[in-house]
Amino acid sequence: MTKKTYEQLEAYMKSCMQDSAHDMEHIYRVLYTALDIADHEKDVDYDVLICACLLHDIGRKAQFKNKKVCHAKAGAAMAVRYLTEQGFDKDYTAKVEHCILAHRFRKGKGNQPDSTEAKILFDADKIDVAGAVGVARTLQYGGHASEPIYTRLPDGRIADGEEESADSFFHEYRHKLCNIHEKLYTKRGREIAGERKAAAEAFYKSLYREVTGAFQTGPELLERSLKAGGQ
């Protein structure tokens, strides 16, 4: 890829990025991590990989406006339209399209990354929600979407994320962040994610301990104060 082509793709990416948790810095981190992973793989098409990394989240705006929209599908369609308009050939465009379509966590056939480049992008994107950066981005996105840090169960206990289905930081951590390294495709990707796991785990445990600690004694102390005030 020439520098001119890179700058052209980068400029288009910048024009599409508005989500604070999926901003340009996220794109660059994913790109640089992908290049690290690619350095440990064979027969990587760097032109496809770099383009796909730059454009993989351009559909985020559409998803944020409408949660029913899949940003991977929206972004892939946008990428195809843009690359076609700019004169990129069909084979190259199709490879980039597959990478973008397959980079998101989804169940079912036809959604899995097949090419080396798609697997690298998938891993690099997931690594950016691992570790301390992942915690920060998850909380940032949750706040932007008005999601709570935690929810409470019917009996009043703080849900640890495993016991609930409602969106919250604890739920996102337990169902996605804590075991993300096990879902990656490349050896290097699993190594990087594994190295970051301890930071996210320590934060989750500390946060859970602090919020549950307040509820262990707080209700009793409140009741005692209210009774004293009523005398």
Side-chain angles (χ1 to χ4, degrees):
M1 179 177 290
T2 66
K3 184 177 181 180
K4 181 179 179 180
T5 299
Y6 173 84
E7 291 175 345
Q8 176 187 357
L9 295 169
E10 182 184 35
Y12 178 61
M13 175 272 290
K14 288 180 177 180
S15 73
C16 299
M17 303 303 295
Q18 295 183 9
D19 183 342
S20 59
H22 301 87
D23 59 3
M24 289 183 290
E25 294 308 313
H26 164 67
I27 299 300
Y28 293 128
R29 289 194 302 271
V30 169
L31 172 60
Y32 300 150
T33 301
L35 293 175
D36 181 342
I37 297 172
D39 200 41
H40 294 76
E41 298 291 319
K42 296 180 180 180
D43 302 321
V44 177
D45 187 329
Y46 280 85
D47 283 5
V48 169
L49 179 63
I50 292 171
C51 180
C53 287
L54 286 174
L55 304 185
H56 78 276
D57 266 353
I58 58 176
R60 278 284 178 181
K61 182 179 179 180
Q63 180 175 302
F64 193 78
K65 287 184 175 180
N66 181 359
K67 288 189 175 182
K68 293 182 179 180
V69 172
C70 170
H71 78 272
K73 291 182 179 179
M78 291 170 64
V80 168
R81 184 166 56 251
Y82 174 76
L83 294 174
T84 300
E85 291 173 351
Q86 297 303 314
F88 289 87
D89 68 61
K90 291 183 179 180
D91 181 62
Y92 175 83
T93 299
K95 290 177 180 178
V96 172
E97 178 186 22
H98 169 67
C99 291
I100 297 175
L101 279 172
H103 87 272
R104 187 185 182 195
F105 268 132
R106 282 171 297 176
K107 297 180 180 179
K109 297 180 180 180
N111 296 322
Q112 306 305 314
D114 294 324
S115 67
T116 299
E117 297 76 27
K119 291 176 181 177
I120 292 173
L121 171 58
F122 181 95
D123 285 8
D125 186 54
K126 301 306 160 286
I127 287 169
D128 207 48
V129 293
V133 171
V135 167
R137 290 183 60 228
T138 301
L139 288 169
Q140 184 180 36
Y141 183 80
H144 196 43
S146 300
E147 294 175 0
I149 294 175
Y150 60 86
T151 60
R152 294 173 66 180
L153 299 171
D155 62 6
R157 290 182 299 117
I158 304 297
D160 65 5
E162 189 68 36
E163 308 165 279
E164 70 200 298
S165 58
D167 291 332
S168 70
F169 169 73
F170 284 175
H171 181 267
E172 184 76 358
Y173 175 80
R174 292 296 294 269
H175 287 266
K176 186 175 180 181
L177 273 63
C178 68
N179 294 315
I180 204 164
H181 63 289
E182 298 175 358
K183 299 177 174 65
L184 304 187
Y185 290 89
T186 65
K187 179 180 178 182
R188 178 58 180 157
R190 289 190 292 273
E191 289 174 353
I192 299 172
E195 292 167 358
R196 298 186 181 193
K197 182 180 180 181
E201 184 176 8
F203 181 86
Y204 166 79
K205 288 182 177 179
S206 295
L207 185 58
Y208 183 71
R209 183 171 58 252
E210 289 178 13
V211 296
T212 54
F215 281 88
Q216 287 175 354
T217 57
E220 182 180 344
L221 293 173
L222 175 60
E223 186 66 23
R224 187 190 307 171
S225 297
L226 294 176
K227 287 182 178 179
Q231 293 179 352

